[in-house]
Amino acid sequence: MASTPRAIQKYESNIPRVGNCCFCFDMNAGGTMMSVFGVITGCAYLARSFYVLYNPHAFEKTLEEDDALNNDDDNIWLVYISLMFCGFLFLITSGFMLYGSAKRMSHHVYPFLIGILFSAVWAIILGTIEIFDSDMLIAFGYFAFAALQVYLWVCAVSLYRDLLEIELDPNKPTRTTV
């Protein structure tokens, strides 16, 4: 790949590459599925946060149901505003990946790569915090989620590399099917 930057060429061989996304879909279909799921997840995060923030009765019900949120020290508004931020992040990055996968443009996969890597790092941080709070079951859940995010990141990198090969030589047969 002569037209890719040298920094990418240097580390490209170190990044694992998978042949199928989720072990059974080709990379283009897998990228489309990941991005559609990300759009749905982003919409669900936004709907939940808007519902709780703009419906005072739902906000009070949330406080009654969750003992951890009943403490005066906790700021429930911050929780749902950060959930709203995550929803926007999922929606935007997944929209870019959906467009890039559909139009065969590799540079539209970048925001998804950054977003999913950010999500994996954040899950590791939260899992580590839960270890220090001695809640190992929740910590295990965060670490399992981080492992899933890393796998999906590898799938997205493989899709990016396949789309880059298509952009560099459209006549060259690649692993990604149309």
Side-chain angles (χ1 to χ4, degrees):
M1 294 184 199
S3 68
T4 57
R6 287 182 186 239
I8 293 174
Q9 288 178 358
K10 181 178 178 182
Y11 296 107
E12 191 173 59
S13 62
N14 295 334
I15 297 174
R17 189 172 185 174
V18 294
N20 295 322
C21 182
C22 302
F23 306 109
C24 58
F25 300 105
D26 70 341
M27 293 312 302
N28 197 35
T32 302
M33 285 182 13
M34 281 192 301
S35 56
V36 167
F37 182 71
V39 167
I40 292 169
T41 303
C43 289
Y45 282 1
L46 287 173
R48 173 69 176 156
S49 59
F50 280 132
Y51 177 73
V52 170
L53 290 175
Y54 292 110
N55 188 354
H57 299 293
F59 179 74
E60 291 169 5
K61 187 176 180 182
T62 303
L63 287 176
E64 292 171 4
E65 289 175 357
D66 195 355
D67 292 334
L69 297 176
N70 278 331
N71 298 337
D72 292 334
D73 300 337
D74 292 333
N75 189 352
I76 189 70
W77 295 101
L78 184 62
V79 171
Y80 283 103
I81 289 173
S82 64
L83 186 65
M84 190 183 310
F85 172 74
C86 290
F88 279 124
L89 180 73
F90 271 107
L91 196 61
I92 291 170
T93 59
S94 298
F96 270 110
M97 182 151 160
L98 183 61
Y99 183 77
S101 180
K103 297 291 183 179
R104 305 283 187 171
M105 292 188 242
S106 63
H107 60 279
H108 285 290
V109 179
Y110 283 141
F112 187 82
L113 290 173
I114 293 168
I116 201 163
L117 198 59
F118 173 73
S119 178
V121 169
W122 187 247
I124 291 170
I125 290 170
L126 290 176
T128 305
I129 290 170
E130 291 297 330
I131 286 176
F132 288 117
D133 285 345
S134 299
D135 198 349
M136 299 307 261
L137 187 61
I138 294 175
F140 176 75
Y142 279 125
F143 290 138
F145 180 73
L148 174 70
Q149 295 290 57
V150 168
Y151 173 72
L152 293 177
W153 181 79
V154 170
C155 289
V157 167
S158 298
L159 173 67
Y160 165 75
R161 291 169 68 184
D162 285 351
L163 293 176
L164 189 63
E165 288 175 4
I166 290 171
E167 285 178 4
L168 293 176
D169 188 11
N171 298 326
K172 179 181 174 186
T174 59
R175 297 179 312 138
T176 303
T177 60
V178 176

